[in-house]
Amino acid sequence: MGVTGGQISPVRSRERFLLGEPVEGSVRGPILNSWMRSRMLGLSPEQTDLPYTDDFDPDSRLVRAAAPVLDQLQIRFSGSQMNISLADGNGTVLQRRFGEPALAGRLPPIQSVPGFVFAERYAGTNGIGLALAERRLCQVYGAEHFAERSQANACSAIPIRDQFSGHIVGVLCFGYPRGYEDPSLPVLVRRAAESIERRIMEQSSARERALLRTYLDARLRARGGESGDDGQLIALDELTDGGLDLQDQMVLKARATELICSPQRAAVEVSLSHGRGVTLLSSPVTSLSGVEGVVVEAVLTGESPPAHHLAASKHTASALGALSLAATEHADALPWHLAAADRAAAARSAASGATDSPGAPDGTPADAPGAVVRGLVLVGEPEVGKYAVAARRRLELLAEASTRIGTTLDVSRTAWELAETAVPRLADYVTVDLPGAVLRGEESADPQADLRRTVVHGIRDDCPFYPVGHQVRLDPGTPHMRCLEGAPAVLETDLQATTPAWMVPGLDHARGILAHDVHSMICVPLLARGVLLGIATFYRSEDPAPFGDDDTRLAQELAARAALCIDNARRYTREHTLALALQRSLLPRGLPEQGAVEVAHHYLPAESGVGGDWFDVIPLSGTRVALLVGDVVGHGLHAAATMGRLRIAARNFAELELAPDELLTHLDNLLVRLDREEEDASATGSNGIVGATCLYAVYDPTSQVCTMARAGHPPPALVDPDGRVTFPDLPPGPPLGLGGLPFETAEIRLPEHSTLVLYTDGLVDDRHRDIDVALDQLRDALAHPDRRPEDTCRAVIEAVAPEHPGDDIALLVARTRTVPADRIATWDLPPDPSLVADIRSAATRRLAEWGLEELSFAAELMLSELVTNAVRYGSEPIQVRLIHDRSLICEVSDGSSTAPHLRRAATTDEGGRGLFLVAQLSQAWGARYTPHGKVIWAECALDAA
């Protein structure tokens, strides 16, 4: 019995545990935890002595409530070996009953005489101690007991609670021989405990009835024993006819309950609807049996309600007098009801209280508008009222938690919101520990291995706990470890009286906590969708009342709500991290080498989600460079993936030397095709692409001309060398994805050391400011032409970017350079084959002037082949250009739009080897089209020789 693994007996498991061997998996969790606590307390299995005390009340409320139930149980188990014990909340046995009376003489005193204390810290693992520790029904079988003396017995024990306060006031324990077991026994144990709890509650009800009887008798004596019955009573839900609706009743009862919590006499003004005013008066009252309580009466004043809320005088007095029956409604919520005589007396007193005199002190009739009427609202004991107020406040805290926890999709912030909600209304200090994997958006395979302090929050700044960021290491048997191992919650109600065994390994740190008067704690796992996300721990120090089971349930509810929000944030963090990683992998990881511009970039992702912004720098032939920024509409993985497809397509189109307007046309057609593919896949839940914007610019440092075209994108900013900032008025062009609409280009001459700034709309488009204001901020930030592009990027982000960007920001800053005129050589020639030799000679001389004699041979061969092809197959005008830049560039242009193609010549072919030779001698070659023809170019590295 009692073995979960099914392979090792409890006896063998206990022996292995006492020898220090691991027994996890072969022993039930509560039993193993109790064994660990017993060993930490220094208890010995051979220990036989238990504390004994005769300082207990044999006629306490618990004993009186349990006595009839114990009598019935004794009769039920008559003749059996059943031993039934009743213990108080400290584990002291108050009553014992035996199925066979002779057992009392045969058993040792420790098992038969009331007064012995079976708390776990004295007796080790046993039924009473385990029920108090686990705060639920527990069974202990044979060798699961820690002490040797109990090995032959089994027991089932359950806590007994005061239903008003929720506190454990006792334990009911059934002991029996190890071989006896009945499947119906747990049900019987629960029903017996419920019967005792019900009788305890009836005792409280009887006390409250006595207080009500005392109040009613006092009212009758004050009237000389008269029993006026001129008031007709109506139900509470009919009070609206008298101007007192349901909301007013609820307000009055709530305030009256608060007054009952304080036994001192008090008066509180309460405002009701329709301009009515109520003064609540509280007075102490003592019943004949000595029960002390509080009576709360209402004095209704203020302007009369509207005419349709007034009834005849007698009906009005009756309705207001019926307010006194709120006390009986409160009583009806309990498992008892006022006797008919009590109700009649309440009605008579209420009616007489509503009409104590023919009129008000000023002579106004009692039923006249503005009359002052007095009646009973509630009567009760302060402690009961305190529990009612606490229950309402717990409900209010739960309602507030639904709006305060989970306002963001940030894991750490959500954990802080849990702590801020709980302090100080539930706890004085709260700590939250989460695995590092959860903070990164992942599931933790082993939460114990990487548990980190994420939140420390309390009523004081000098919290006595490990700081945020500390790696938390848990010892076996601690409440935190028990939560990680599956316990739904662990409650420790008294840390000050006796240091718990689990605190012993970290006693120095525990002393620091206890020095701050921390006296109770609740440890709750953060569980959501079957995933363990961490632990939340609640502590009390300033509040003198220790945590109870109601507080534990509230902490569990708060933790459950927070865990769900943390899991949502964790999943979002994971998706956001994946999307961000995908996005960054699709963006340029470094800038290519080129000499046309000095360039810097900055990318700032949105806080709310990854977008589809991108940028690129693409070197082109002839020392030119292409600058590109774009923005895909939408956020998330879909936008990032679409951005990657567009960027790759744009780079490929740029490699084809397309003009800016032609490149945008191709991107537009591509996006239209992607849209169609998404429409075809819409049945699977895919989101169609709405569109994208783009700005494409090509800068030629030899002519200092920049050609640009844009598709629904913000225009660039241009900073002249003198610091003047302008926003060129480029033809806007439609966004990409609309299809069939043309794009236009614009050419702008950029002086050397001009700065061209390309950006996406996330930089200037913010719902919290006007776009003109953002552009002015951008203009001010750029008006410093002497800054390096990296410094300009930093200044722009600091001055213009929103504090919490809702969209991605891509920023590209390029300072222009030029190729000096003395490094460019140009020759125009007619289509005459005989002039090819002259071009070779002129090129050789120019290379000598540049100090590139070692490249003369390769340049002569390349120019000879390219010029011959232009003369033979092209048309005028023919031009040859050499550019000395980061490499030697040879260009031959002509008026024909037919470009040559590289092919492998057969051995019998007389031609077809020219371009093959050019490809072998150069590091790159190609062709580009111009408005007047084409250019064939070849690039040779300066160190090629």
Side-chain angles (χ1 to χ4, degrees), residues 462-645:
D462 58 337
C463 294
F465 306 101
Y466 291 124
V468 172
H470 180 84
Q471 185 168 3
V472 180
R473 291 180 174 85
L474 303 177
D475 295 313
T478 63
H480 305 77
M481 181 63 78
R482 292 165 63 186
C483 285
L484 290 180
E485 293 173 345
V490 178
L491 170 63
E492 292 283 350
T493 59
D494 192 355
L495 302 178
Q496 293 285 342
T498 302
T499 302
W502 56 267
M503 279 191 169
V504 173
L507 193 56
D508 292 340
H509 180 61
R511 285 172 178 158
I513 295 176
L514 298 178
H516 281 67
D517 297 325
V518 174
H519 57 74
S520 59
M521 64 172 287
I522 302 171
C523 193
V524 185
L526 297 172
L527 282 166
R529 303 182 178 98
V531 178
L532 180 61
L533 302 171
I535 304 171
T537 310
F538 305 82
Y539 301 88
R540 270 189 184 168
S541 62
E542 299 294 326
D543 190 339
F547 284 123
D549 289 324
D550 288 340
D551 299 311
T552 303
R553 285 187 284 271
L554 176 59
Q556 287 180 283
E557 181 65 26
L558 291 177
R561 298 188 183 199
L564 188 60
C565 295
I566 288 174
D567 191 50
N568 291 338
R570 178 190 65 82
R571 291 167 179 257
Y572 169 79
T573 300
R574 180 186 60 190
E575 296 298 328
H576 182 76
T577 302
L578 290 175
L580 192 60
L582 173 63
Q583 182 190 52
R584 288 179 174 171
S585 69
L586 296 174
L587 290 171
R589 300 190 178 183
L591 297 178
E593 295 184 0
Q594 46 80 35
V597 293
E598 180 186 0
V599 67
H601 64 89
H602 189 93
Y603 193 93
L604 183 65
E607 289 188 354
S608 59
V610 175
D613 293 18
W614 87 95
F615 65 91
D616 212 342
V617 178
I618 308 171
L620 301 177
S621 63
T623 71
R624 296 172 308 136
V625 65
L627 306 174
L628 174 70
V629 292
D631 181 5
V632 174
V633 176
H635 291 83
L637 287 171
H638 189 270
T642 303
M643 173 272 289
R645 300 170 78 174

Side-chain angles (χ1 to χ4, degrees), residues 258-489:
E258 294 175 0
L259 287 175
I260 289 177
C261 295
S262 176
Q264 288 79 21
R265 185 183 295 270
V268 175
E269 297 290 336
V270 181
S271 298
L272 302 179
S273 60
H274 309 301
R276 300 304 297 262
V278 172
T279 301
L280 293 181
L281 304 175
S282 70
S283 304
V285 61
T286 303
S287 70
L288 295 178
S289 60
V291 177
E292 297 181 352
V294 176
V295 169
V296 179
E297 294 177 302
V299 178
L300 277 69
T301 60
E303 297 298 328
S304 60
H308 66 277
H309 282 284
L310 292 176
S313 60
K314 186 172 182 178
H315 188 80
T316 302
S318 301
L320 295 176
L323 175 63
S324 63
L325 290 188
T328 62
E329 184 193 63
H330 170 68
D332 286 343
L334 306 175
W336 59 273
H337 299 278
L338 285 176
D342 292 333
R343 294 184 182 276
R348 291 193 297 271
S349 178
S352 61
T355 58
D356 274 340
S357 62
D362 60 356
T364 305
D367 59 347
V372 177
V373 183
R374 182 172 178 173
L376 175 66
V377 179
L378 284 178
V379 59
E381 295 180 82
E383 287 301 313
V384 176
K386 185 185 301 182
Y387 301 142
V389 171
R392 188 178 71 249
R393 289 175 178 171
R394 284 193 289 268
L395 291 175
E396 292 172 351
L397 182 58
L398 283 177
E400 182 179 331
S402 64
T403 60
R404 290 190 60 182
I405 300 176
T407 60
T408 69
L409 286 172
D410 181 84
V411 173
S412 297
R413 181 58 205 157
T414 303
W416 274 100
E417 289 170 346
L418 167 62
E420 291 167 352
T421 301
V423 174
R425 296 169 63 180
L426 173 62
D428 296 318
Y429 298 98
V430 174
T431 63
V432 180
D433 304 321
L434 302 177
V438 172
L439 295 172
R440 295 190 299 270
E442 306 166 3
E443 290 187 13
S444 178
D446 184 9
Q448 304 177 24
D450 190 24
L451 201 63
R452 297 191 176 275
R453 181 59 46 84
T454 306
V455 174
V456 178
H457 182 59
I459 56 176
R460 292 165 52 184
D461 294 333
D462 58 337
C463 294
F465 306 101
Y466 291 124
V468 172
H470 180 84
Q471 185 168 3
V472 180
R473 291 180 174 85
L474 303 177
D475 295 313
T478 63
H480 305 77
M481 181 63 78
R482 292 165 63 186
C483 285
L484 290 180
E485 293 173 345

